[in-house]
Amino acid sequence: MKSLLNRFVTTAASARTLKEHWFRAVTLSNYMPALLFNALFLFALCLLHAVTANASLSADTASSDTVPAEQFFESRIRPILVNHCYDCHSADQASANLRLDTRDGWVRGGERGPAIVAGDPSASLLISAINRSDAELMMPPNDAGGRLSEQQIQDLTTWIRQGAYDPRNGEKIVTNIEIASANHWAFQPLYSTTISSDVHPIDFLIDQKRQQRGFVSNQQADMHTLIRRATFDLLGLPPTPEQLAITRVEFPSLVQSLLASPRYGERWGRHWLDVARYSDAKDGVLMYGDARV
């Protein structure tokens, strides 16, 4: 705010001075050709614009000098590096062996040496590249956004002149996805569990989680109940007397015979076709152009 006020005062004072000279010029206009008078007036306007622009640039530079180094880097420098440099000069792809994603990267430099000389922008290859003063070293390239804005170039120059403060020490930046994945079950390491021999592994693991969460399991079903569940679920029919007479050892064989029965396909085919919406019949209609269903 202070720099804007100073700029306004400077501009206003310049305008008053120009106005005074204007009135003097009007007096002299009777003795001066009109073309010369207009040329002098336009020259005065251009001079005022140049002075104002220079004052604006000086104010921006002065404000950059007063911003703390860390704040200046995070608000102005890091976004430039991330958006315009990381694609070609980071851990994923270090073009010309130059990395700009860490401080050690630009200190070590690439094939042409250090990219930045802290405190000396004129000796820094980075400034030469973004100013495009070297035809063989123009960054960012045109296919990656092209030349930086004048403000961005000025910010990088100021940053290097002030010592190139850079807190990036090469530590990996942990993203929100990585934080969430640390507790997600799918990303947990595998481990071995000792399972009792008298229980099915799936039942054992499920019961283990139930106990951890305070859930109470039902009592184990007797054979009569298990056989009725199997036949009703797979065939939709009650068990026969022969099926009810089997033992626990024979139960797995009963399940296999139920799965191999045509009645199993008839029962569950209805549900599958509801999901598929009878696509086989629709294919026939589309292929042959008739109404066969």
Side-chain angles (χ1 to χ4, degrees):
M1 181 62 72
K2 183 178 180 180
S3 62
L4 291 175
L5 181 60
N6 293 335
R7 191 184 311 173
F8 175 77
V9 172
T10 303
T11 304
S14 301
R16 286 197 300 271
T17 302
L18 181 62
K19 184 177 181 181
E20 293 174 359
H21 287 290
W22 164 259
F23 283 116
R24 295 179 184 176
V26 169
T27 305
L28 296 175
S29 63
N30 296 326
Y31 306 98
M32 187 182 303
L35 182 60
L36 179 60
F37 174 76
N38 291 334
L40 289 175
F41 180 68
L42 290 175
F43 173 75
L45 288 178
C46 292
L47 182 62
L48 176 61
H49 175 74
V51 170
T52 305
N54 184 57
S56 175
L57 180 60
S58 299
D60 290 339
T61 302
S63 63
S64 300
D65 292 337
T66 59
V67 175
E70 182 178 2
Q71 179 182 345
F72 186 76
F73 177 84
E74 296 297 343
S75 62
R76 301 196 187 184
I77 303 306
R78 190 191 289 270
I80 298 176
L81 297 176
V82 171
N83 296 326
H84 300 280
C85 303
Y86 278 16
D87 285 345
C88 299
H89 299 284
S90 64
D92 295 332
Q93 179 181 354
S95 180
N97 295 325
L98 173 63
R99 289 183 57 177
L100 295 176
D101 57 339
T102 65
R103 187 181 190 281
D104 292 339
W106 57 256
V107 170
R108 183 174 60 253
E111 296 175 355
R112 297 194 178 200
I116 295 173
V117 179
D120 191 353
S122 61
S124 300
L125 287 174
L126 178 65
I127 300 302
S128 176
I130 62 177
N131 280 315
R132 303 196 165 199
S133 55
D134 185 348
E136 297 181 356
L137 187 64
M138 296 191 297
M139 296 294 167
N142 293 328
D143 58 357
R147 182 183 174 88
L148 298 177
S149 68
E150 293 301 325
Q151 183 61 56
Q152 290 173 322
I153 294 175
Q154 179 65 31
D155 287 341
L156 287 170
T157 303
T158 302
W159 172 57
I160 295 176
R161 186 179 63 251
Q162 293 177 344
Y165 169 83
D166 191 345
R168 300 171 303 162
N169 55 12
E171 293 182 358
K172 178 177 174 57
I173 299 176
V174 181
T175 64
N176 292 332
I177 294 178
E178 291 170 330
I179 295 175
S181 67
N183 297 321
H184 194 279
W185 66 266
F187 299 98
Q188 303 309 309
L190 298 177
Y191 60 91
S192 299
T193 302
T194 302
I195 299 176
S196 177
S197 59
D198 59 346
V199 66
H200 194 281
I202 295 178
D203 293 336
F204 176 83
L205 295 174
I206 292 178
D207 188 60
Q208 192 178 54
K209 289 297 182 181
R210 285 175 177 167
Q211 293 178 9
Q212 291 177 1
R213 301 193 178 189
F215 297 150
V216 179
S217 301
N218 292 329
Q219 296 295 325
Q220 187 173 6
D222 56 28
M223 282 305 303
H224 187 272
T225 303
L226 285 177
I227 293 171
R228 286 181 58 84
R229 289 176 181 174
T231 57
F232 273 110
D233 286 347
L234 297 179
L235 306 185
L237 299 172
T240 64
E242 292 78 11
Q243 291 172 335
L244 286 174
I246 68 171
T247 63
R248 185 174 295 273
V249 176
E250 298 171 326
F251 182 72
S253 298
L254 171 64
V255 173
Q256 292 299 323
S257 65
L258 295 176
L259 293 174
S261 171
R263 307 291 85 77
Y264 168 67
E266 292 171 359
R267 170 173 168 73
W268 285 97
R270 175 173 60 85
H271 302 296
W272 297 332
L273 288 175
D274 284 343
V275 175
R277 302 184 66 82
Y278 298 88
S279 59
D280 54 341
K282 289 187 176 181
D283 288 343
V285 173
L286 294 174
M287 289 175 61
Y288 303 108
D290 57 21
R292 288 182 292 176
V293 178

